[in-house]
Amino acid sequence: MDDFASDTDSDYTSYWRDWFIAARGNEYFCEIDEDYLTDRFNLTGLNTEVQYYQYALDLVTDVFDIEVDDDMREQIEKSARHLYGLVHARYIVTTRGLAKMMEKYKQGVFGRCPRVICSSQHLLPMGQHDTPSHSNVKLYCPKCEDIYNPKSSRHNSIDGAYFGTSFHNILFQVYPALLPPKTQRRYEPRLYGFRVHASAALMRWQEERREEMKERLRVKGVEAGFEEGEEGEGEEESEDDEVGEGQDGIDDMFEGGGAVAAVH
């Protein structure tokens, strides 16, 4: 920001969007087309949400030509960034905006899911609120359907409203081929090769509920979206039978004082 503020007025007012997109920490944003920015219909209602709205709009559209002091310039710059973010949330759900964000998604610009079982699935930015100043941007994984905080502090400070709550879902509606199959695999806590009893019971209950849900969807003719025949499922089912038969023995082992002492 200091380097930017020290530029000449000519540099300051030229190609603001190019500077903004290229700035570190703004990799999540795509460039908004000028014709979209200059169509007042697309900016409806934003004049009440952005301080120095007209100056900020002039700066974003590269027509700002008024000499102002440094303090005023900083305020206008802050308003311009906020205005761009609010317009960005509207732009990325248009055909052109979705296409630009889709390319960033395919390139992995937004990062990869930290969940090991998701196998580095690409993420998408999203907001938890559509109004600004409620929460920062989050990253959505379409494989495990969970959200994560960005790794970089620069990205973690971006307002989630600049991406909105619907963008990631709309993108997969428009580009369904990009939606990865859901995974049924999960980490299984084990002790000496045996499932930990409480975790095993919970997982069995979750698996039963999931199978019931899939059956209901199948009856209604709805695609469940889960991966088919994942490796190791047959082995796990047969292992469940064996563990079920020997589970009482395992529980007795941990209830016995001598066995517990040996484990410790």
Side-chain angles (χ1 to χ4, degrees):
M1 180 64 196
D2 292 338
D3 293 339
F4 182 76
S6 65
D7 289 342
T8 64
D9 288 344
S10 177
D11 293 337
Y12 178 74
T13 57
S14 297
Y15 311 113
W16 185 91
R17 279 168 294 153
D18 292 341
W19 166 84
F20 181 80
I21 295 299
R24 293 182 63 185
N26 290 343
E27 293 84 2
Y28 289 0
F29 293 93
C30 70
E31 184 174 357
I32 302 174
D33 295 332
E34 185 173 358
D35 58 351
Y36 189 90
L37 281 167
T38 54
D39 186 340
R40 296 303 174 111
F41 176 79
N42 299 324
L43 310 178
T44 302
L46 297 183
N47 60 321
T48 61
E49 297 187 38
V50 180
Q51 190 179 24
Y52 306 118
Y53 169 79
Q54 191 57 54
Y55 288 158
L57 180 59
D58 289 346
L59 179 58
V60 171
T61 54
D62 301 321
V63 296
F64 185 80
D65 58 358
I66 301 175
E67 294 187 6
V68 295
D69 58 37
D70 291 343
D71 290 340
M72 184 64 172
R73 176 177 297 179
E74 185 175 347
Q75 290 298 319
I76 295 173
E77 165 62 25
K78 181 179 179 181
S79 295
R81 293 196 300 267
H82 184 48
L83 175 62
Y84 191 92
L86 295 177
V87 179
H88 185 266
R90 300 180 179 186
Y91 177 72
I92 59 176
V93 295
T94 65
T95 302
R96 285 278 296 161
L98 286 168
K100 291 183 179 181
M101 296 297 278
M102 181 265 290
E103 288 300 324
K104 284 178 172 282
Y105 168 73
K106 290 170 66 175
Q107 296 168 12
V109 172
F110 309 119
R112 301 171 185 272
C113 183
R115 186 172 180 260
V116 174
I117 297 177
C118 285
S119 303
S120 298
Q121 170 64 45
H122 290 179
L123 302 171
L124 275 174
M126 61 161 285
Q128 293 178 285
H129 301 87
D130 288 314
T131 52
S133 303
H134 278 79
S135 62
N136 296 332
V137 67
K138 305 299 179 186
L139 296 173
Y140 169 77
C141 174
K143 195 160 191 175
C144 64
E145 297 184 319
D146 210 343
I147 60 176
Y148 303 90
N149 289 316
K151 291 182 178 180
S152 171
S153 58
R154 290 188 179 90
H155 297 148
N156 204 32
S157 62
I158 299 174
D159 198 311
Y162 296 165
F163 299 89
T165 59
S166 302
F167 154 67
H168 58 294
N169 292 317
I170 293 175
L171 185 137
F172 290 120
Q173 290 289 326
V174 176
Y175 301 104
L178 295 180
L179 188 64
K182 305 298 182 293
T183 177
Q184 299 182 59
R185 292 180 297 161
R186 63 182 64 196
Y187 169 70
E188 299 177 355
R190 292 177 179 271
L191 190 61
Y192 299 118
F194 296 98
R195 286 181 176 180
V196 178
H197 179 67
S199 298
L202 175 60
M203 291 182 70
R204 281 197 298 271
W205 180 86
Q206 291 175 329
E207 289 167 0
E208 289 171 359
R209 301 291 83 75
R210 182 169 60 243
E211 291 302 320
E212 291 175 2
M213 178 191 70
K214 289 169 64 177
E215 178 61 22
R216 291 198 299 270
L217 292 175
R218 188 191 64 79
V219 170
K220 294 181 179 296
V222 178
E223 175 60 41
F226 289 103
E227 294 177 344
E228 296 294 336
E230 295 189 287
E231 184 178 355
E233 285 183 358
E235 297 176 2
E236 290 178 3
E237 290 176 0
S238 61
E239 183 184 52
D240 285 344
D241 295 336
E242 296 175 3
V243 173
E245 295 174 359
Q247 189 65 53
D248 293 338
I250 298 172
D251 293 341
D252 293 341
M253 178 183 74
F254 283 100
E255 289 173 2
V260 172
V263 171
H264 287 299

